[in-house]
């Protein structure tokens, strides 16, 4: 089994009065744990939190801004109402809106999903309800998924005459291939326990505890080094589909690069009279390392 059923007995409940602000009519922002955790809530429940072009733009803009705030350590994505997200807003994908607009919508969706995995910060999906089509894609693109026991996951595009091609890309990188094809070809719906068993979900709790558990996971992340996480997350997604020997070569190259930059920073800090403990929590040294991951990967192709 890839996942684990988690107990909900934890040390403390999430903040009862978090700082909250409506980013727009479609998106709400909540701040927890002394500004270290941002919970973004899709707020279009009447449309089952459909990923409209406007909502995706708002969400991407918000994530890009959050990623630049040094104090933030984790992001939670949640949805108001009975659905986490039911997928694209099909009213936008009609013959009247035209093929060019359709391409723009799908390109924006790809940019959003890709950015989530490129962020320095871990992104936790908090799912309490339906995650379908592009909504399931959003779940599959997040780093950790906490789901309620009543949640469901599906890619039912064929029912509407649309094959869920792009949702299938992260889906098959989370669940076994035959399960992915079953979902894509028959519109099979996975319940939370099945999603946990097949690897789409990290933890399953009761509906009343899902927000609590997501914040508890984020709290654990806040205890870790942001700078090290900022190195480890892009490395994970870069190496995961590589052959094993290339993955080890990538790790060695990245380790050498990390050591070199740490040495340069340490030397500079000592020269300015700062003791070595000041290196702890320095997230900016992760930036050049992250930029080097792609370059190192391309070099590995010629090994």
């Amino acid at each position: 089994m890839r996942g684990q059923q988690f107990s909900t007995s934890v040390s403390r409940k999430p903040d009862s009065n978090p700082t909250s602000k409506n980013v727009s009519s479609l998106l709400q922002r909540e701040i927890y744990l002394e500004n270290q955790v941002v919970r973004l809530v899709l707020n279009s429940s009447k449309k089952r939190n459909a990923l409209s072009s406007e909502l995706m733009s708002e969400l991407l803009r918000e994530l890009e801004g959050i990623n630049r705030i040094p104090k933030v350590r984790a992001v939670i994505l949640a949805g108001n109402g009975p659905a986490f997200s039911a997928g694209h807003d099909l009213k936008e994908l009609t013959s009247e809106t035209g093929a060019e607009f359709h391409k723009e919508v799908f390109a924006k969706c790809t940019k959003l999903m890709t950015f989530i995995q490129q962020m320095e910060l871990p992104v936790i999906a908090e799912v309490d309800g339906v995650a379908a089509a592009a909504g399931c894609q959003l779940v599959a693109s997040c780093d950790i998924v906490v789901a309620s026991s009543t949640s469901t996951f599906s890619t039912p595009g064929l029912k509407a005459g649309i094959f869920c091609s792009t949702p299938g890309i992260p889906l098959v990188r989370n669940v076994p291939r035959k399960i992915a094809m079953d979902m894509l070809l028959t519109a099979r719906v996975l319940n939370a326990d099945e999603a946990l068993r097949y690897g789409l979900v990290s933890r399953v709790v009761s509906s009343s505890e899902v927000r609590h558990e997501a914040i508890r996971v984020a709290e654990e992340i806040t205890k870790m080094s942001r700078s090290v996480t900022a190195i480890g997350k892009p490395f994970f997604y870069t190496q995961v589909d590589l052959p094993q020997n290339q993955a080890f070569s990538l790790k060695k190259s990245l380790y050498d690069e990390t050591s070199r930059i740490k040495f340069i920073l340490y030397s500079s800090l000592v020269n300015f009279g700062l003791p070595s403990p000041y290196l702890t929590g320095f997230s900016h040294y992760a930036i050049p390392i992250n930029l080097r991951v792609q370059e190192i990967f391309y070099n590995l192709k010629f090994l």
Side-chain angles (χ1 to χ4, degrees):
M1 182 181 292
R2 295 187 181 185
Q4 180 181 353
Q5 189 85 20
F6 276 76
S7 167
T8 59
S9 58
V10 295
S11 58
R12 61 191 181 95
K13 295 287 185 180
D15 303 356
S16 57
N17 295 300
T19 303
S20 180
K21 178 182 179 182
N22 287 329
V23 178
S24 70
S25 60
L26 300 175
L27 193 64
Q28 183 178 356
R29 183 200 307 133
E30 298 174 358
I31 308 297
Y32 294 85
L33 300 173
E34 299 178 342
N35 299 320
Q36 294 184 94
V37 175
V38 180
R39 183 174 181 261
L40 298 176
V41 185
L42 309 184
N43 195 29
S44 182
S45 58
K46 290 183 179 180
K47 292 188 174 182
R48 295 168 67 82
N49 295 319
L51 295 177
S52 64
S53 178
E54 183 182 0
L55 177 53
M56 288 191 291
S57 293
E58 291 282 355
L59 182 56
L60 178 60
R61 187 179 305 115
E62 190 72 7
L63 289 173
E64 288 174 336
I66 292 168
N67 200 46
R68 293 191 291 267
I69 302 174
K71 188 170 184 179
V72 177
R73 297 298 184 89
V75 178
I76 298 170
L77 298 183
N80 272 338
F84 174 76
S85 174
H88 286 296
D89 186 347
L90 295 182
K91 291 182 179 179
E92 291 186 338
L93 302 176
T94 63
S95 56
E96 287 76 14
T97 56
E100 287 304 313
F101 179 74
H102 297 181
K103 289 179 183 178
E104 179 184 318
V105 168
F106 291 128
K108 187 176 295 184
C109 183
T110 298
K111 184 176 181 181
L112 170 63
M113 306 297 174
T114 302
F115 182 73
I116 286 172
Q117 294 189 347
Q118 291 175 340
M119 290 179 68
E120 292 184 7
L121 302 171
V123 180
I124 303 159
E126 176 198 315
V127 185
D128 186 18
V130 173
C136 188
Q137 180 183 358
L138 181 57
V139 169
S141 299
C142 291
D143 304 309
I144 298 173
V145 180
V146 178
S148 71
S149 56
T150 57
S151 295
T152 60
F153 306 85
S154 63
T155 50
L158 277 176
K159 286 186 174 182
I162 303 171
F163 191 79
C164 285
S165 302
T166 48
I169 293 171
L171 178 66
V172 77
R173 286 163 171 78
N174 284 260
V175 306
R177 186 174 300 184
K178 300 302 183 185
I179 299 299
M181 287 300 284
D182 196 357
M183 295 174 68
L184 291 164
L185 294 174
T186 71
R188 175 182 175 181
V189 178
L190 298 186
N191 61 37
D193 288 334
E194 290 173 322
L196 179 67
R197 183 163 68 248
Y198 295 132
L200 183 58
V201 162
S202 312
R203 309 181 181 207
V204 174
V205 295
S206 67
S207 183
S208 62
E209 290 290 334
V210 66
R211 181 173 72 100
H212 177 203
E213 184 69 13
I215 296 171
R216 193 188 76 83
V217 172
E219 184 177 17
E220 290 302 309
I221 291 171
T222 66
K223 300 173 185 177
M224 312 302 174
S225 165
R226 170 169 171 155
S227 57
V228 176
T229 300
I231 299 167
K233 178 176 168 176
F235 169 75
F236 174 84
Y237 285 113
T238 303
Q239 66 81 30
V240 69
D241 291 318
L242 291 177
Q244 182 171 287
N245 64 328
Q246 289 190 10
F248 279 124
S249 296
L250 175 63
K251 176 61 179 76
K252 182 179 183 302
S253 299
L254 187 60
Y255 176 80
D256 292 344
E257 185 72 8
T258 304
S259 298
R260 183 181 70 84
I261 294 174
K262 278 186 175 179
F263 175 77
I264 292 171
L265 274 172
Y266 175 76
S267 299
S268 300
L269 290 170
V270 169
N271 288 337
F272 281 101
L274 297 175
S276 58
Y278 278 81
L279 280 174
T280 303
F282 264 56
S283 61
H284 62 273
Y285 78 73
I287 296 173
I289 297 171
N290 287 348
L291 295 176
R292 285 279 292 151
V293 170
Q294 194 74 12
E295 179 184 344
I296 292 169
F297 169 67
Y298 283 121
N299 290 338
L300 284 174
K301 292 195 299 184
F302 300 101
L303 294 179

